[in-house]
Amino acid sequence: MDKVKRYIPYLLLTGLTLFFCRIFVGRYGIFGAKVDWLSQHSVLPDYFRQQFYATGKLFPEFAANLGGGQNIYHFAYYGLYSPLILPSYLLPFVKMSDYIMAVSITGLTASVLLFYYWLKSRKTDTGTAFILSLMFLLAGPMIGQYSGQIMFVDYMPFLCLALIGVDRYFKQEKSGLFTVSVFLMIMTSFYFSIGGMLSLVLYGLHRYFEQREGNRVTVRSFLRDGLCFVRSMILAVLMSGFFLVPTALALTGGRSKEQNTSFASFFIPQITVERFSYSIYGIGLTTLVITVLLTGLLYRKVYEKVLTYGCVIVLVIPVFAYLLNGGLYIRDKVFIPFLPLLCYLISIYLEKCRKRELSFIAGMIPYIITTIFVYMARNQFVSKGIGESIWKVLLAESILFLICYVLYCALKRYHKETKEILMLALPSVICLAVTMNTFYQMKPDRYVSRKLYRDVVEEQNRQAVKEALKDDDGYYRTEQMGSDDENAADLNRIWDVEQNITSIYSSAYNPDYQTFRQKTFGLEEPFRNGMMQSVSKNPVFQRMMGVRYIVSDSDVPGYTLVKKCGTTGIYQNKDAAPVMYATDRVMTEEEYKKLTFPYNQTAFLEYAVVGEHTESSDQNIMTAYEPVSLKMANNRTTGGAEQKTMQQEGQKQILFLRFRVDNAHPNKDVAVWINGIRNKLSAKDHVYYNENKIFTYAVPLKDGEDNISVTFGKGKYRLRHVQAYLGSLPERSELLYQSEIQVDKKQTEDNVIQGTIRVKKDGWFITSIPYDKHFKIYIDGKETEIQKVNTAFLGCKIESGNHELKIIYHAPGTTTGKILSLIGIAGFLLVLVREKRKQKNTR
């Protein structure tokens, strides 16, 4: 009977986890958020799986299908070798998005159960362990991020396992579980594993001094024992080398720094209430955790001081946030791995209250300080636009906790068996459940509705892409286009391994391609996040990048409907450039840089741009587009946005329009739509400020159309330096696309593109694959020097004649990483053998 009772808390916690998932998220739609989940965390693992099915390789190097073609380790963060994603490779019949939802809920449940098990193994009272497990479950980032940016929390089961492994290390001198858990944590989320390892070090120090309480610890013994402890994590890092090394090298090439902070400010303590309370981008507990940390500063035992002071220093000194964020910025998300430790500190606090180790005054003062601090920090929330209601809730809860403590002490004086969890911990659980679900982040518009989910994952989209690719032997790109929400969802969506797209949304990227899109060419920016590089409606860019097919439910200007798959149409543009071709029709970069708008865009339809000085053809293209003026026809207001119809003088095919936006309220977004094409300038305090101050449009016009619809979004802003040009795009230029490559699709996979080309004249081999110095091009088996063409893309010189052509990409660091992994595995096995021998000798 006792054994059955032992499992009841686990069953209750499982049921409550599912219940809160339903209440917090499920009632709004699917278990997935619009931000990132739909366009990154659920689609990139599907791409990895598709690539594995196509190549059979577990160690890919190149993502030819995404963002024009990029180092696959730009996307490694999204589960390239995650132990949670790899099992899906055995389930080809399960949609990856459904799998991600299932594994997220399972991972959340496993985290809660392992956390409970860990507390119980630390001799925590059953009731206390249960309530704290609920607090852990209801903390902001748990449900909030398991349904959103999964990589923020999906390592949590392995972090809890590692904490159990630390206990096992000190009790039994066995490091196997500890090392394996850290390794799995790294493979799941390398970014957050750094914070996880730091939290393990703090817990290791706590256990070390607890085990040696009353014994003398020398510097020598401390360093020796410390090295033995850290060895387990070092081995885990080495074992992960095949993943970490190429990922680290990829990140150094394409990640923008956004923080401008003085050196001195890194060491000035900074405390924000939001770091600790409710936020899904922070620790997400209640203000009780602030009280517990303040109280912990008064503890007398060394092992308790080490843990409390260690957590306080890491959480309030900005340099730790900066380093844990990889030297990019200071943000609270990196402290999520400290959530289990802080819940553990609360359990220590509750135990001290139960044993009356704190005087009434010593216990009450931290509650008073917390209340005062919350009141003084009220402007932190208003300035971020969160609203006054949140700080008032926080102030009310801190006062409530103070009252509960006073009542608890009063009752404890007369009733020795008073359950401290009911008076001190349960209010936190209730506040988390109510506040997270009512006020903070758990909102209907945050999550993906069932309708949007059905529209996005509709199988007829897959069928349409396959139909578009089926009868085309060329090497072109196929995009999917829909509403703004659908385009955001499809940023990284690949329906078929032969589908290639220009869009990309990743925390790392090819910097040359990003610069080309945002600065050199000047594409529209429809999203407030600068890293969300969407499918473009610019017809010049579409043609230049070889977008021959677009799959859409509505007509696409400049494209012809060739087939229907249900309600989804396949649209074709035969004028699209081949992705790879040879030409001698070039202009130099020096000449290109002199071109003004819109010729900085249209020049790519008539010339290839090369870095070297070269003889070039007639480049008189500055008269093809006429400047025009726009005049107001009518206006109306819809939904808070002002819509106007501008009448253009003349009737042409493309209207090129550009203007500068001066935002009078820099901390609010600005958006302007031209014929449904959106440009957005994000608020300057947005995490990923897009810097899109110049709105650029290339608007396809129908025959006879002389009006355009302009919708001005909410806000106060001024448009300046308006430029407008009208003109017709040139026909597909046989002078430019002189020789198209014939790709051998059987030999083209993963990091290899192979084919033949018949070059008519000595000139240049041009591609629209983003340039990366780790490419190698072989012409007739001989390596040729690669060069940057069209300012951002891969190319090289080529002579006339028939050639066998082979392009190979090797992700830097793959060989070194594999060697380090072998060293790590060998070291790990050696340690296990030594530990086993030691165990035998001590029996």
Side-chain angles (χ1 to χ4, degrees), residues 516 519-523 538-541 544 587 591-607 609 621-628 652-659 694-699 721-730:
F516 180 82
K519 307 295 183 185
T520 307
F521 193 90
L523 284 177
N538 185 309
V540 180
F541 184 78
M544 175 204 171
M587 70 164 58
E591 292 171 318
Y592 174 76
K593 288 176 181 177
K594 295 176 183 177
L595 298 178
T596 57
F597 177 80
Y599 301 103
N600 66 314
Q601 296 188 1
T602 58
F604 292 110
L605 301 184
E606 300 190 53
Y607 295 93
V609 178
I621 59 172
M622 297 293 286
T623 59
Y625 303 93
E626 299 175 1
V628 295
K652 302 282 184 174
Q653 286 186 328
I654 304 293
L655 171 67
F656 292 95
L657 182 62
R658 185 169 72 166
F659 48 80
I694 306 294
F695 284 13
T696 307
Y697 303 84
V699 185
H721 306 309
V722 179
Q723 296 174 272
Y725 296 84
L726 282 170
S728 300
L729 296 185

Side-chain angles (χ1 to χ4, degrees), residues 554-570:
S554 56
D555 291 342
V556 180
Y559 284 73
T560 304
L561 178 65
V562 293
K563 194 169 185 179
K564 278 268 191 178
C565 291
T567 59
T568 301
I570 302 170

Side-chain angles (χ1 to χ4, degrees), residues 331-486:
R331 290 189 196 140
D332 296 342
K333 62 183 180 182
V334 290
F335 296 125
I336 295 173
F338 290 85
L339 175 59
L341 271 191
L342 293 171
C343 289
Y344 174 67
L345 278 173
I346 294 173
S347 74
I348 293 175
Y349 170 77
L350 295 175
E351 182 65 13
K352 286 188 173 294
C353 289
R354 188 181 68 83
K355 292 180 178 179
R356 296 187 179 183
E357 293 184 14
L358 298 171
S359 67
F360 174 71
I361 299 297
M364 187 173 68
I365 288 176
Y367 283 98
I368 296 173
I369 294 174
T370 300
T371 304
I372 294 171
F373 172 61
V374 171
Y375 178 76
M376 292 176 64
R378 62 191 182 280
N379 291 328
Q380 291 178 356
F381 301 100
V382 177
S383 63
K384 289 186 177 182
I386 296 172
E388 294 184 12
S389 58
I390 297 301
W391 82 263
K392 289 178 180 178
V393 169
L394 287 166
L395 183 63
E397 71 145 47
S398 61
I399 294 171
L400 171 65
F401 295 160
L402 172 60
I403 293 170
C404 287
Y405 178 78
V406 172
L407 289 175
Y408 167 77
C409 290
L411 290 172
K412 188 77 173 175
R413 185 172 181 179
Y414 300 103
H415 302 280
K416 293 184 179 180
E417 299 302 318
T418 300
K419 289 289 185 180
E420 68 278 357
I421 57 169
L422 295 177
M423 295 298 295
L424 300 180
L426 190 58
S428 277
V429 173
I430 295 171
C431 286
L432 281 169
V434 173
T435 305
M436 287 302 297
N437 191 39
T438 308
F439 293 98
Y440 210 97
Q441 296 294 344
M442 303 301 174
K443 301 174 183 177
D445 59 355
R446 171 178 163 79
Y447 298 98
V448 180
S449 68
R450 288 180 174 82
K451 181 183 182 306
L452 177 60
Y453 180 64
R454 284 194 301 269
D455 291 343
V456 167
V457 302
E458 178 61 57
E459 279 301 311
Q460 70 181 23
N461 295 325
R462 185 189 305 277
Q463 185 60 34
V465 169
K466 286 182 177 291
E467 285 293 323
L469 296 169
K470 184 173 66 174
D471 299 321
D472 198 314
D473 296 328
Y475 198 76
Y476 294 89
R477 294 191 171 94
T478 302
E479 301 272 21
Q480 187 174 344
M481 190 179 291
S483 66
D484 288 334
D485 282 345
E486 289 170 340

Side-chain angles (χ1 to χ4, degrees), residues 312-327:
V312 169
I313 290 170
V314 170
L315 292 172
V316 305
I317 305 298
V319 70
F320 290 98
Y322 183 73
L323 293 175
L324 290 175
N325 275 297

Side-chain angles (χ1 to χ4, degrees), residues 440-722:
Y440 210 97
Q441 296 294 344
M442 303 301 174
K443 301 174 183 177
D445 59 355
R446 171 178 163 79
Y447 298 98
V448 180
S449 68
R450 288 180 174 82
K451 181 183 182 306
L452 177 60
Y453 180 64
R454 284 194 301 269
D455 291 343
V456 167
V457 302
E458 178 61 57
E459 279 301 311
Q460 70 181 23
N461 295 325
R462 185 189 305 277
Q463 185 60 34
V465 169
K466 286 182 177 291
E467 285 293 323
L469 296 169
K470 184 173 66 174
D471 299 321
D472 198 314
D473 296 328
Y475 198 76
Y476 294 89
R477 294 191 171 94
T478 302
E479 301 272 21
Q480 187 174 344
M481 190 179 291
S483 66
D484 288 334
D485 282 345
E486 289 170 340
N487 290 343
D490 293 330
L491 281 166
N492 295 309
R493 194 173 303 278
I494 298 295
W495 290 107
D496 187 274
V497 76
E498 291 187 9
Q499 179 190 4
N500 298 306
I501 63 176
T502 62
S503 63
I504 178 176
Y505 178 24
S506 173
S507 54
Y509 42 77
N510 182 299
D512 288 319
Y513 184 58
Q514 193 86 346
T515 299
F516 180 82
R517 291 182 60 112
Q518 294 181 312
K519 307 295 183 185
T520 307
F521 193 90
L523 284 177
E524 73 269 22
E525 293 272 354
F527 303 113
R528 68 196 308 247
N529 185 336
M531 291 190 292
M532 296 176 71
Q533 294 298 301
S534 174
V535 56
S536 176
K537 296 180 180 179
N538 185 309
V540 180
F541 184 78
Q542 290 169 346
R543 283 178 55 174
M544 175 204 171
M545 292 298 293
V547 181
R548 173 168 278 190
Y549 300 100
I550 291 180
V551 172
S552 178
D553 289 340
S554 56
D555 291 342
V556 180
Y559 284 73
T560 304
L561 178 65
V562 293
K563 194 169 185 179
K564 278 268 191 178
C565 291
T567 59
T568 301
I570 302 170
Y571 295 84
Q572 183 185 55
N573 183 352
K574 291 184 178 180
D575 288 336
V579 172
M580 295 176 283
Y581 61 92
T583 187
D584 70 339
R585 187 172 172 83
V586 296
M587 70 164 58
T588 66
E589 270 198 38
E590 219 174 286
E591 292 171 318
Y592 174 76
K593 288 176 181 177
K594 295 176 183 177
L595 298 178
T596 57
F597 177 80
Y599 301 103
N600 66 314
Q601 296 188 1
T602 58
F604 292 110
L605 301 184
E606 300 190 53
Y607 295 93
V609 178
V610 297
E612 292 187 8
H613 178 72
T614 183
E615 292 295 328
S616 54
S617 305
D618 174 31
Q619 294 168 11
N620 184 23
I621 59 172
M622 297 293 286
T623 59
Y625 303 93
E626 299 175 1
V628 295
S629 59
L630 303 174
K631 63 179 182 179
M632 196 74 63
N634 58 67
N635 65 75
R636 58 192 174 89
T637 302
T638 56
E642 187 177 358
Q643 187 170 24
K644 301 183 179 181
T645 301
M646 308 290 286
Q647 185 170 339
Q648 61 189 63
E649 297 178 351
Q651 298 176 13
K652 302 282 184 174
Q653 286 186 328
I654 304 293
L655 171 67
F656 292 95
L657 182 62
R658 185 169 72 166
F659 48 80
R660 181 179 182 84
V661 177
D662 291 339
N663 190 359
H665 298 297
N667 291 328
K668 292 185 178 180
D669 292 356
V670 169
V672 177
W673 289 258
I674 308 288
N675 275 18
I677 302 172
R678 180 171 69 182
N679 250 307
K680 179 171 278 193
L681 171 62
S682 54
K684 200 166 186 179
D685 61 353
H686 180 54
V687 173
Y688 300 109
Y689 176 51
N690 67 7
E691 300 183 30
N692 185 33
K693 296 179 181 178
I694 306 294
F695 284 13
T696 307
Y697 303 84
V699 185
L701 303 175
K702 297 176 182 178
D703 291 340
E705 186 177 6
D706 60 0
N707 290 286
I708 56 171
S709 172
V710 182
T711 303
F712 296 100
K714 293 179 181 179
K716 185 178 181 181
Y717 47 93
R718 184 175 62 161
L719 309 184
R720 294 192 299 124
H721 306 309
V722 179

